Structure formats: structure tokens, C-alpha cells
Amino acid sequence: MNYLEKKIKLLIRTGVTFFVALAVIPVVATASSTIKMSYNGPADLKDNAVHYFATTFKDIVEKKTAGNLKIALYPNSQLGSEEQRMEQVMNGPMINVASFDGMQTVFPQMFASNAPFMFNSYKAAHIFFDNSSFMKKAIKKLHSITGIEMLEVVEDGGFLDFTSNKLIKSPADFKGLKFRAMDVSQVAMYESFGASGVPIPWTGVYVALKTGVADGQMNPPTYIIIGSLYGVQKYLTLANVQYSNQFLLVNGAFLDSLDKKEQKIIRDAAHVANAKTRKFVEEQVTTRIKFLEDKGMKANTPNEEEMNSFRKLAVPAYSNWLSKKVDQSWIDLALSDAKKANLEAK
């Protein structure tokens, strides 16, 4: 059953006549079509890698189609929450850059690609997200259950690091602390260290840290800068906890409505924009850490023994949490493919 058939059946079931249903079905792409593209974070080319990606993608598409396809950018989640935007990209012409928070509502299997300390380098993460068996399976499954096409996994700021007002060098240093969690998976990880995880939306992180609702959090340096968290946190632990990424999603019915040339332009533009964004992000990591140090933060890099102590607790805790939500085969495949990617990246 295709997208239009599903829409008609849904409207009929809710008492809407067939003729009204036809009136509200989204029009397929025509000359000079404009499609909305929504994502998190400010319209800041310097510090928001997702905005850098979106702007690059927009420019390429509009140039290659001679303006026949236009991309209207909606940063700062202007079109709604993560969940609302996922519904929009499933139900009509839309492009959405979703985080794991958005993915969890429709495709929790993707969390298998986000285990702590999964990748040893950027190169390994690129190999996994560009070519792994896990990603091929995930892209196919996501489309089959939602109608969404995942075109790229967008690097949005580098690896996540811990920040706190207490020096953290090992899991023992977390005992008794409260850490802001982006989602429930991070709660499981913090609990394995002896801390408590407090789910707090990004917009409330600065105040939570300032008032003591949370003692620490984790994000890549770019988001620590965007959120001015250096003003309320003393220490930066460079543990490369998780690869920071989001997902470029396009409504499948919309993409199918384009001619083959335009479809290729969109796919190619997404790939080129992502390659440029990776370069943009990775070239600035050292500079961003230096910026945070200049703002008064003290950076610490755990040694291999300390890193192993984090891995020993975090990976089993994360896998145990996720195994209650998705089939174990997804977890096993992701971990196996990550191991291969780390070896290939050496």
C-alpha cells in the first residue's frame, strides 16, 4: 500500500469523505516546488553544524535544479518538537533532520548504533554509517514501516564529552552526581556509573546546571559553546563517549514523485553536504576545545585504563537497556559492524 492509499484509508476511517480526502492529499512535486526542511539549533553557520549542512544542501539542490526545487529552511525546531516533526515527515512533503530523540518514537532500533564508546575514531564512524550491514538493514526497515527515506547520517558536532564541576577521570567520580540525560539510554549509562540521569530538554540545560538541578551533562564541544555551558561548568572530560550525529530524513512519497534526475540531485547533494560538514566539524574540534579552555574550563583526557573502566560498565548497561526495547539481533549486528569499522579504520 503506497502513501496516498494509506492517507485515503485513514481519512475514510475517521469519517472524512473520499472527495474531501482527495482535496487534502499533498500535491506531488511540480516545477518550482518548495519543500520545508526542519532541524534543531540556531541559524548559525559558525557553530551549528546542522545549519551548515542544511545551508550547503539547499544551495546544491537549488543550483543543480536551476531553482525548480527550492528548500525552505526552518532551524530551531520552528515546525515543532522532534515527535511532531517525525509525524510531519511521515505524512507529507517534508525534509527533517532528526536526532535520536526523534527516532526513538518510530524506530528505536537505531539506538543500537549509539552505544557508548562504540567508535575509536571519526573514520570508523564514517565507515559504519556509510557502508555497514547494520545501516543497510536499518534504512530498509525504516522505509518499510514509516515510508521515510534516510539519505545521510549527518555529523553534527564531533564526539560527546562530559562536563561537570567535579573532576571526572573514572566511573567512580560519578557517584552521587546528577547528570542531564538527552534520552533514556543515557539514564541507563549514568546509572551504571553510580550517578542519576535527569532527562532535561536542551533549552533547559544551562539553567539546570546553573541552579544545581543537574551537576553535569555531555555534548560535543560545539554544543557546549552554543549553550554557553562553559559559564556553569568547570571541567571537560574528553572521553569521546558517543559519536554525535543526526539523520537526514525525506518523505518517501515526495521523493518518488520527482523525476529520476531530481531524485539523484537530492541524494548527491545530501552526500556532498555531509562530506563538507564532516570536514567542517573535524577541522574545528581542537580550536573549540581551546576556546573552552580559554573560557576557564579545564580539559582532561582519560588514559586507556580509565577509558576501559568506562567501557566495562557503560556498554553492558546500555545493551541491557536496549534489549528490552528491540530484538537482540539489532544490537549484535551493530556492535559487530562497529568492531569491523574500528579495525578497518586503523
Side-chain angles (χ1 to χ4, degrees), residues 302-319:
N303 60 37
E304 189 59 27
E305 181 181 353
E306 291 165 343
M307 287 298 298
N308 284 334
S309 69
F310 282 119
R311 295 187 188 103
K312 184 178 179 180
L313 294 174
V315 177
Y318 186 94
S319 296

Side-chain angles (χ1 to χ4, degrees), residues 310-346:
F310 282 119
R311 295 187 188 103
K312 184 178 179 180
L313 294 174
V315 177
Y318 186 94
S319 296
N320 180 62
W321 164 80
L322 188 56
S323 66
K324 298 173 183 176
K325 300 179 178 297
V326 306
D327 190 88
Q328 183 67 37
S329 63
W330 284 95
I331 302 170
D332 294 341
L333 180 59
L335 292 176
S336 174
D337 283 353
K339 184 177 181 180
K340 293 176 185 176
N342 285 324
L343 289 173
E344 185 178 341
K346 285 184 176 181

Side-chain angles (χ1 to χ4, degrees), residues 161-187:
D161 299 310
F162 299 121
T163 69
S164 60
N165 285 321
K166 172 187 176 183
L167 178 62
I168 290 177
K169 299 184 68 175
S170 72
D173 298 319
F174 276 89
K175 188 174 181 179
L177 298 180
K178 296 173 293 184
F179 264 67
R180 177 259 177 164
M182 296 182 193
D183 51 57
V184 288
S185 72
Q186 289 188 356
V187 173

Side-chain angles (χ1 to χ4, degrees), residues 39-143:
Y39 49 95
N40 299 318
D44 185 336
L45 283 173
K46 179 183 176 183
D47 290 325
N48 185 5
V50 178
H51 181 64
Y52 178 93
F53 169 84
T55 302
T56 305
F57 173 72
K58 167 186 169 72
D59 290 346
I60 296 172
V61 169
E62 293 182 352
K63 180 179 179 181
K64 293 293 185 180
T65 64
N68 287 331
L69 278 178
K70 297 183 184 300
I71 311 292
L73 302 183
Y74 291 84
N76 263 338
S77 302
Q78 293 177 38
L79 299 185
S81 66
E82 290 266 15
E83 184 174 357
Q84 290 170 331
R85 285 158 43 213
M86 287 299 292
E87 291 176 356
Q88 291 165 21
V89 77
M90 285 192 287
N91 294 326
M94 172 81 167
I95 300 173
N96 182 37
V97 185
S99 72
F100 279 96
D101 190 33
M103 295 296 287
Q104 71 180 345
T105 62
V106 297
F107 193 58
Q109 292 89 337
M110 188 53 67
F111 275 87
S113 70
N114 198 40
F117 313 107
M118 194 169 184
F119 303 111
N120 297 336
S121 65
Y122 287 105
K123 184 178 179 180
H126 298 168
I127 291 169
F128 178 94
F129 285 110
D130 291 347
N131 298 304
S132 70
S133 298
F134 173 88
M135 284 305 301
K136 291 174 183 176
K137 179 181 178 181
I139 290 170
K140 183 176 180 181
K141 183 67 173 179
L142 176 67
H143 184 268

Side-chain angles (χ1 to χ4, degrees), residues 6 11 126 144 200 203 223-224 249 300-301 308:
K6 290 180 181 177
L11 291 167
H126 298 168
S144 72
I200 298 171
T203 52
Y223 277 92
I224 298 169
L249 310 175
N300 165 63
T301 301
N308 284 334

Side-chain angles (χ1 to χ4, degrees), residues 4-25:
L4 299 182
E5 292 171 334
K6 290 180 181 177
K7 191 74 174 178
I8 291 170
K9 285 182 178 290
L10 175 62
L11 291 167
I12 291 174
R13 283 201 302 271
T14 55
V16 182
T17 67
F18 180 75
F19 296 103
V20 175
L22 287 176
V24 300
I25 292 171

